[in-house]
PDB file of all heavy atoms in Angstrom:
ATOM      1  N   THR T   1     -12.423 -14.006  16.702  1.00  0.00           N
ATOM      2  CA  THR T   1     -13.720 -14.615  16.418  1.00  0.00           C
ATOM      3  C   THR T   1     -13.658 -15.313  15.064  1.00  0.00           C
ATOM      4  O   THR T   1     -12.873 -14.930  14.196  1.00  0.00           O
ATOM      5  CB  THR T   1     -14.842 -13.564  16.410  1.00  0.00           C
ATOM      6  OG1 THR T   1     -14.528 -12.564  15.435  1.00  0.00           O
ATOM      7  CG2 THR T   1     -14.983 -12.913  17.777  1.00  0.00           C
ATOM      8  N   MET T   2     -14.460 -16.329  14.898  1.00  0.00           N
ATOM      9  CA  MET T   2     -14.493 -17.084  13.654  1.00  0.00           C
ATOM     10  C   MET T   2     -15.473 -16.410  12.696  1.00  0.00           C
ATOM     11  O   MET T   2     -16.659 -16.277  13.011  1.00  0.00           O
ATOM     12  CB  MET T   2     -14.924 -18.525  13.932  1.00  0.00           C
ATOM     13  CG  MET T   2     -14.867 -19.416  12.721  1.00  0.00           C
ATOM     14  SD  MET T   2     -13.198 -19.780  12.166  1.00  0.00           S
ATOM     15  CE  MET T   2     -12.624 -20.827  13.467  1.00  0.00           C
ATOM     16  N   ALA T   3     -14.991 -15.997  11.561  1.00  0.00           N
ATOM     17  CA  ALA T   3     -15.845 -15.372  10.555  1.00  0.00           C
ATOM     18  C   ALA T   3     -16.721 -16.427   9.877  1.00  0.00           C
ATOM     19  O   ALA T   3     -16.297 -17.562   9.687  1.00  0.00           O
ATOM     20  CB  ALA T   3     -14.983 -14.668   9.512  1.00  0.00           C
ATOM     21  N   TYR T   4     -17.913 -16.041   9.555  1.00  0.00           N
ATOM     22  CA  TYR T   4     -18.839 -16.877   8.775  1.00  0.00           C
ATOM     23  C   TYR T   4     -19.137 -18.224   9.432  1.00  0.00           C
ATOM     24  O   TYR T   4     -19.310 -19.225   8.753  1.00  0.00           O
ATOM     25  CB  TYR T   4     -18.319 -17.088   7.350  1.00  0.00           C
ATOM     26  CG  TYR T   4     -18.020 -15.806   6.624  1.00  0.00           C
ATOM     27  CD1 TYR T   4     -16.713 -15.412   6.371  1.00  0.00           C
ATOM     28  CD2 TYR T   4     -19.055 -14.977   6.206  1.00  0.00           C
ATOM     29  CE1 TYR T   4     -16.438 -14.222   5.711  1.00  0.00           C
ATOM     30  CE2 TYR T   4     -18.786 -13.788   5.545  1.00  0.00           C
ATOM     31  CZ  TYR T   4     -17.483 -13.426   5.302  1.00  0.00           C
ATOM     32  OH  TYR T   4     -17.223 -12.256   4.651  1.00  0.00           O
ATOM     33  N   MET T   5     -19.230 -18.266  10.745  1.00  0.00           N
ATOM     34  CA  MET T   5     -19.480 -19.530  11.454  1.00  0.00           C
ATOM     35  C   MET T   5     -20.771 -20.221  11.019  1.00  0.00           C
ATOM     36  O   MET T   5     -20.843 -21.438  11.024  1.00  0.00           O
ATOM     37  CB  MET T   5     -19.533 -19.289  12.965  1.00  0.00           C
ATOM     38  CG  MET T   5     -18.187 -19.402  13.620  1.00  0.00           C
ATOM     39  SD  MET T   5     -18.278 -19.167  15.398  1.00  0.00           S
ATOM     40  CE  MET T   5     -18.944 -20.709  15.934  1.00  0.00           C
ATOM     41  N   ASN T   6     -21.754 -19.450  10.639  1.00  0.00           N
ATOM     42  CA  ASN T   6     -23.060 -20.024  10.303  1.00  0.00           C
ATOM     43  C   ASN T   6     -23.260 -20.254   8.816  1.00  0.00           C
ATOM     44  O   ASN T   6     -24.377 -20.511   8.377  1.00  0.00           O
ATOM     45  CB  ASN T   6     -24.173 -19.128  10.858  1.00  0.00           C
ATOM     46  CG  ASN T   6     -24.093 -19.018  12.372  1.00  0.00           C
ATOM     47  OD1 ASN T   6     -23.813 -20.009  13.040  1.00  0.00           O
ATOM     48  ND2 ASN T   6     -24.305 -17.836  12.896  1.00  0.00           N
ATOM     49  N   ARG T   7     -22.205 -20.182   8.034  1.00  0.00           N
ATOM     50  CA  ARG T   7     -22.326 -20.388   6.583  1.00  0.00           C
ATOM     51  C   ARG T   7     -21.537 -21.615   6.178  1.00  0.00           C
ATOM     52  O   ARG T   7     -20.341 -21.691   6.399  1.00  0.00           O
ATOM     53  CB  ARG T   7     -21.820 -19.161   5.839  1.00  0.00           C
ATOM     54  CG  ARG T   7     -22.727 -17.952   6.050  1.00  0.00           C
ATOM     55  CD  ARG T   7     -22.349 -16.790   5.196  1.00  0.00           C
ATOM     56  NE  ARG T   7     -22.274 -17.135   3.793  1.00  0.00           N
ATOM     57  CZ  ARG T   7     -21.847 -16.283   2.869  1.00  0.00           C
ATOM     58  NH1 ARG T   7     -21.476 -15.064   3.198  1.00  0.00           N
ATOM     59  NH2 ARG T   7     -21.783 -16.661   1.608  1.00  0.00           N
ATOM     60  N   ASP T   8     -22.217 -22.557   5.550  1.00  0.00           N
ATOM     61  CA  ASP T   8     -21.524 -23.766   5.105  1.00  0.00           C
ATOM     62  C   ASP T   8     -20.975 -23.628   3.685  1.00  0.00           C
ATOM     63  O   ASP T   8     -20.375 -24.556   3.156  1.00  0.00           O
ATOM     64  CB  ASP T   8     -22.426 -24.996   5.228  1.00  0.00           C
ATOM     65  CG  ASP T   8     -23.683 -24.911   4.383  1.00  0.00           C
ATOM     66  OD1 ASP T   8     -23.869 -23.910   3.659  1.00  0.00           O
ATOM     67  OD2 ASP T   8     -24.488 -25.859   4.435  1.00  0.00           O
ATOM     68  N   ASP T   9     -21.147 -22.467   3.064  1.00  0.00           N
ATOM     69  CA  ASP T   9     -20.618 -22.247   1.724  1.00  0.00           C
ATOM     70  C   ASP T   9     -19.326 -21.432   1.730  1.00  0.00           C
ATOM     71  O   ASP T   9     -18.819 -21.044   0.695  1.00  0.00           O
ATOM     72  CB  ASP T   9     -21.661 -21.559   0.838  1.00  0.00           C
ATOM     73  CG  ASP T   9     -22.036 -20.166   1.342  1.00  0.00           C
ATOM     74  OD1 ASP T   9     -22.031 -19.953   2.568  1.00  0.00           O
ATOM     75  OD2 ASP T   9     -22.338 -19.302   0.507  1.00  0.00           O
ATOM     76  N   VAL T  10     -18.788 -21.192   2.938  1.00  0.00           N
ATOM     77  CA  VAL T  10     -17.563 -20.415   3.076  1.00  0.00           C
ATOM     78  C   VAL T  10     -16.549 -21.225   3.867  1.00  0.00           C
ATOM     79  O   VAL T  10     -16.854 -21.725   4.944  1.00  0.00           O
ATOM     80  CB  VAL T  10     -17.843 -19.069   3.802  1.00  0.00           C
ATOM     81  CG1 VAL T  10     -16.548 -18.310   4.027  1.00  0.00           C
ATOM     82  CG2 VAL T  10     -18.834 -18.233   3.030  1.00  0.00           C
ATOM     83  N   ALA T  11     -15.348 -21.357   3.323  1.00  0.00           N
ATOM     84  CA  ALA T  11     -14.266 -22.037   4.040  1.00  0.00           C
ATOM     85  C   ALA T  11     -13.459 -20.991   4.797  1.00  0.00           C
ATOM     86  O   ALA T  11     -13.184 -19.911   4.273  1.00  0.00           O
ATOM     87  CB  ALA T  11     -13.373 -22.789   3.066  1.00  0.00           C
ATOM     88  N   VAL T  12     -13.108 -21.308   6.022  1.00  0.00           N
ATOM     89  CA  VAL T  12     -12.346 -20.382   6.859  1.00  0.00           C
ATOM     90  C   VAL T  12     -11.065 -21.067   7.304  1.00  0.00           C
ATOM     91  O   VAL T  12     -11.081 -22.200   7.763  1.00  0.00           O
ATOM     92  CB  VAL T  12     -13.176 -19.959   8.096  1.00  0.00           C
ATOM     93  CG1 VAL T  12     -12.350 -19.063   9.002  1.00  0.00           C
ATOM     94  CG2 VAL T  12     -14.454 -19.256   7.669  1.00  0.00           C
ATOM     95  N   CYS T  13      -9.941 -20.372   7.153  1.00  0.00           N
ATOM     96  CA  CYS T  13      -8.663 -20.872   7.641  1.00  0.00           C
ATOM     97  C   CYS T  13      -8.362 -20.142   8.950  1.00  0.00           C
ATOM     98  O   CYS T  13      -8.131 -18.940   8.954  1.00  0.00           O
ATOM     99  CB  CYS T  13      -7.569 -20.612   6.614  1.00  0.00           C
ATOM    100  SG  CYS T  13      -5.959 -21.149   7.184  1.00  0.00           S
ATOM    101  N   ALA T  14      -8.395 -20.883  10.034  1.00  0.00           N
ATOM    102  CA  ALA T  14      -8.234 -20.262  11.350  1.00  0.00           C
ATOM    103  C   ALA T  14      -6.778 -20.157  11.791  1.00  0.00           C
ATOM    104  O   ALA T  14      -6.504 -19.809  12.922  1.00  0.00           O
ATOM    105  CB  ALA T  14      -9.027 -21.064  12.378  1.00  0.00           C
ATOM    106  N   ALA T  15      -5.860 -20.443  10.936  1.00  0.00           N
ATOM    107  CA  ALA T  15      -4.440 -20.419  11.308  1.00  0.00           C
ATOM    108  C   ALA T  15      -3.758 -19.183  10.746  1.00  0.00           C
ATOM    109  O   ALA T  15      -4.167 -18.634   9.727  1.00  0.00           O
ATOM    110  CB  ALA T  15      -3.753 -21.667  10.769  1.00  0.00           C
ATOM    111  N   ASP T  16      -2.713 -18.742  11.439  1.00  0.00           N
ATOM    112  CA  ASP T  16      -1.832 -17.728  10.869  1.00  0.00           C
ATOM    113  C   ASP T  16      -1.027 -18.433   9.791  1.00  0.00           C
ATOM    114  O   ASP T  16      -0.425 -19.474  10.046  1.00  0.00           O
ATOM    115  CB  ASP T  16      -0.858 -17.194  11.918  1.00  0.00           C
ATOM    116  CG  ASP T  16      -1.533 -16.393  12.999  1.00  0.00           C
ATOM    117  OD1 ASP T  16      -2.586 -15.807  12.717  1.00  0.00           O
ATOM    118  OD2 ASP T  16      -1.007 -16.348  14.117  1.00  0.00           O
ATOM    119  N   CYS T  17      -1.032 -17.885   8.600  1.00  0.00           N
ATOM    120  CA  CYS T  17      -0.304 -18.588   7.543  1.00  0.00           C
ATOM    121  C   CYS T  17      -0.176 -17.708   6.313  1.00  0.00           C
ATOM    122  O   CYS T  17      -0.780 -16.658   6.218  1.00  0.00           O
ATOM    123  CB  CYS T  17      -1.030 -19.872   7.177  1.00  0.00           C
ATOM    124  SG  CYS T  17      -2.677 -19.604   6.482  1.00  0.00           S
ATOM    125  N   ARG T  18       0.590 -18.186   5.410  1.00  0.00           N
ATOM    126  CA  ARG T  18       0.588 -17.655   4.056  1.00  0.00           C
ATOM    127  C   ARG T  18      -0.295 -18.622   3.291  1.00  0.00           C
ATOM    128  O   ARG T  18      -0.012 -19.813   3.243  1.00  0.00           O
ATOM    129  CB  ARG T  18       1.987 -17.612   3.481  1.00  0.00           C
ATOM    130  CG  ARG T  18       2.834 -16.618   4.216  1.00  0.00           C
ATOM    131  CD  ARG T  18       4.186 -16.492   3.599  1.00  0.00           C
ATOM    132  NE  ARG T  18       4.931 -15.509   4.394  1.00  0.00           N
ATOM    133  CZ  ARG T  18       6.184 -15.214   4.180  1.00  0.00           C
ATOM    134  NH1 ARG T  18       6.839 -15.806   3.218  1.00  0.00           N
ATOM    135  NH2 ARG T  18       6.785 -14.330   4.919  1.00  0.00           N
ATOM    136  N   LEU T  19      -1.353 -18.119   2.737  1.00  0.00           N
ATOM    137  CA  LEU T  19      -2.391 -18.966   2.193  1.00  0.00           C
ATOM    138  C   LEU T  19      -2.528 -18.785   0.694  1.00  0.00           C
ATOM    139  O   LEU T  19      -2.546 -17.663   0.199  1.00  0.00           O
ATOM    140  CB  LEU T  19      -3.717 -18.626   2.890  1.00  0.00           C
ATOM    141  CG  LEU T  19      -4.954 -19.395   2.519  1.00  0.00           C
ATOM    142  CD1 LEU T  19      -4.814 -20.863   2.922  1.00  0.00           C
ATOM    143  CD2 LEU T  19      -6.163 -18.784   3.198  1.00  0.00           C
ATOM    144  N   MET T  20      -2.605 -19.886  -0.030  1.00  0.00           N
ATOM    145  CA  MET T  20      -2.868 -19.845  -1.450  1.00  0.00           C
ATOM    146  C   MET T  20      -4.347 -20.179  -1.638  1.00  0.00           C
ATOM    147  O   MET T  20      -4.834 -21.149  -1.071  1.00  0.00           O
ATOM    148  CB  MET T  20      -2.024 -20.874  -2.209  1.00  0.00           C
ATOM    149  CG  MET T  20      -2.262 -20.834  -3.705  1.00  0.00           C
ATOM    150  SD  MET T  20      -1.445 -22.161  -4.618  1.00  0.00           S
ATOM    151  CE  MET T  20       0.222 -22.035  -4.068  1.00  0.00           C
ATOM    152  N   VAL T  21      -5.062 -19.344  -2.367  1.00  0.00           N
ATOM    153  CA  VAL T  21      -6.483 -19.582  -2.573  1.00  0.00           C
ATOM    154  C   VAL T  21      -6.805 -19.596  -4.058  1.00  0.00           C
ATOM    155  O   VAL T  21      -6.072 -19.054  -4.875  1.00  0.00           O
ATOM    156  CB  VAL T  21      -7.349 -18.505  -1.867  1.00  0.00           C
ATOM    157  CG1 VAL T  21      -7.161 -18.559  -0.371  1.00  0.00           C
ATOM    158  CG2 VAL T  21      -7.031 -17.127  -2.387  1.00  0.00           C
ATOM    159  N   PHE T  22      -7.913 -20.228  -4.371  1.00  0.00           N
ATOM    160  CA  PHE T  22      -8.391 -20.308  -5.744  1.00  0.00           C
ATOM    161  C   PHE T  22      -9.816 -19.781  -5.781  1.00  0.00           C
ATOM    162  O   PHE T  22     -10.572 -19.981  -4.833  1.00  0.00           O
ATOM    163  CB  PHE T  22      -8.351 -21.763  -6.236  1.00  0.00           C
ATOM    164  CG  PHE T  22      -6.978 -22.352  -6.187  1.00  0.00           C
ATOM    165  CD1 PHE T  22      -6.548 -23.034  -5.056  1.00  0.00           C
ATOM    166  CD2 PHE T  22      -6.100 -22.195  -7.242  1.00  0.00           C
ATOM    167  CE1 PHE T  22      -5.271 -23.572  -4.995  1.00  0.00           C
ATOM    168  CE2 PHE T  22      -4.826 -22.725  -7.193  1.00  0.00           C
ATOM    169  CZ  PHE T  22      -4.410 -23.414  -6.070  1.00  0.00           C
ATOM    170  N   ASP T  23     -10.193 -19.130  -6.863  1.00  0.00           N
ATOM    171  CA  ASP T  23     -11.541 -18.581  -6.930  1.00  0.00           C
ATOM    172  C   ASP T  23     -12.602 -19.653  -7.118  1.00  0.00           C
ATOM    173  O   ASP T  23     -13.774 -19.435  -6.860  1.00  0.00           O
ATOM    174  CB  ASP T  23     -11.656 -17.506  -8.013  1.00  0.00           C
ATOM    175  CG  ASP T  23     -11.361 -18.023  -9.408  1.00  0.00           C
ATOM    176  OD1 ASP T  23     -10.884 -19.159  -9.545  1.00  0.00           O
ATOM    177  OD2 ASP T  23     -11.622 -17.283 -10.367  1.00  0.00           O
ATOM    178  N   ARG T  24     -12.211 -20.857  -7.553  1.00  0.00           N
ATOM    179  CA  ARG T  24     -13.158 -21.962  -7.653  1.00  0.00           C
ATOM    180  C   ARG T  24     -12.394 -23.277  -7.594  1.00  0.00           C
ATOM    181  O   ARG T  24     -11.194 -23.324  -7.895  1.00  0.00           O
ATOM    182  CB  ARG T  24     -13.976 -21.868  -8.931  1.00  0.00           C
ATOM    183  CG  ARG T  24     -13.207 -22.075 -10.227  1.00  0.00           C
ATOM    184  CD  ARG T  24     -14.112 -21.889 -11.432  1.00  0.00           C
ATOM    185  NE  ARG T  24     -14.177 -20.505 -11.825  1.00  0.00           N
ATOM    186  CZ  ARG T  24     -13.400 -19.958 -12.759  1.00  0.00           C
ATOM    187  NH1 ARG T  24     -12.547 -20.691 -13.406  1.00  0.00           N
ATOM    188  NH2 ARG T  24     -13.481 -18.701 -13.055  1.00  0.00           N
ATOM    189  N   THR T  25     -13.079 -24.318  -7.190  1.00  0.00           N
ATOM    190  CA  THR T  25     -12.449 -25.624  -7.123  1.00  0.00           C
ATOM    191  C   THR T  25     -13.163 -26.661  -7.979  1.00  0.00           C
ATOM    192  O   THR T  25     -12.645 -27.719  -8.226  1.00  0.00           O
ATOM    193  CB  THR T  25     -12.413 -26.156  -5.677  1.00  0.00           C
ATOM    194  OG1 THR T  25     -13.737 -26.216  -5.179  1.00  0.00           O
ATOM    195  CG2 THR T  25     -11.548 -25.287  -4.806  1.00  0.00           C
ATOM    196  N   LYS T  26     -14.364 -26.337  -8.426  1.00  0.00           N
ATOM    197  CA  LYS T  26     -15.138 -27.284  -9.220  1.00  0.00           C
ATOM    198  C   LYS T  26     -14.367 -27.679 -10.476  1.00  0.00           C
ATOM    199  O   LYS T  26     -13.897 -26.825 -11.230  1.00  0.00           O
ATOM    200  CB  LYS T  26     -16.481 -26.690  -9.595  1.00  0.00           C
ATOM    201  CG  LYS T  26     -17.403 -27.669 -10.252  1.00  0.00           C
ATOM    202  CD  LYS T  26     -18.774 -27.052 -10.503  1.00  0.00           C
ATOM    203  CE  LYS T  26     -19.681 -28.098 -11.102  1.00  0.00           C
ATOM    204  NZ  LYS T  26     -21.020 -27.588 -11.290  1.00  0.00           N
ATOM    205  N   GLY T  27     -14.220 -28.970 -10.669  1.00  0.00           N
ATOM    206  CA  GLY T  27     -13.559 -29.474 -11.857  1.00  0.00           C
ATOM    207  C   GLY T  27     -12.048 -29.472 -11.790  1.00  0.00           C
ATOM    208  O   GLY T  27     -11.381 -29.825 -12.729  1.00  0.00           O
ATOM    209  N   VAL T  28     -11.466 -29.083 -10.657  1.00  0.00           N
ATOM    210  CA  VAL T  28     -10.019 -29.079 -10.496  1.00  0.00           C
ATOM    211  C   VAL T  28      -9.632 -30.266  -9.627  1.00  0.00           C
ATOM    212  O   VAL T  28      -9.852 -30.278  -8.436  1.00  0.00           O
ATOM    213  CB  VAL T  28      -9.537 -27.759  -9.843  1.00  0.00           C
ATOM    214  CG1 VAL T  28      -8.016 -27.785  -9.672  1.00  0.00           C
ATOM    215  CG2 VAL T  28      -9.967 -26.569 -10.654  1.00  0.00           C
TER     216      VAL T  28
END
């Protein structure tokens, strides 16, 4: 199931992967 489907403030990666994430993107 897709997590947070009804939230536009959350990004979801639906792929199996090794994922690099950042706590914020503003100004980067």
Side-chain angles (χ1 to χ4, degrees):
T1 58
M2 185 70 70
Y4 305 108
M5 271 182 76
N6 299 320
R7 292 187 54 186
D8 61 2
D9 63 327
V10 176
V12 177
C13 178
D16 292 332
C17 63
R18 293 184 180 176
L19 181 65
M20 181 187 308
V21 296
F22 301 91
D23 61 350
R24 67 183 87 94
T25 58
K26 188 175 183 177
V28 179

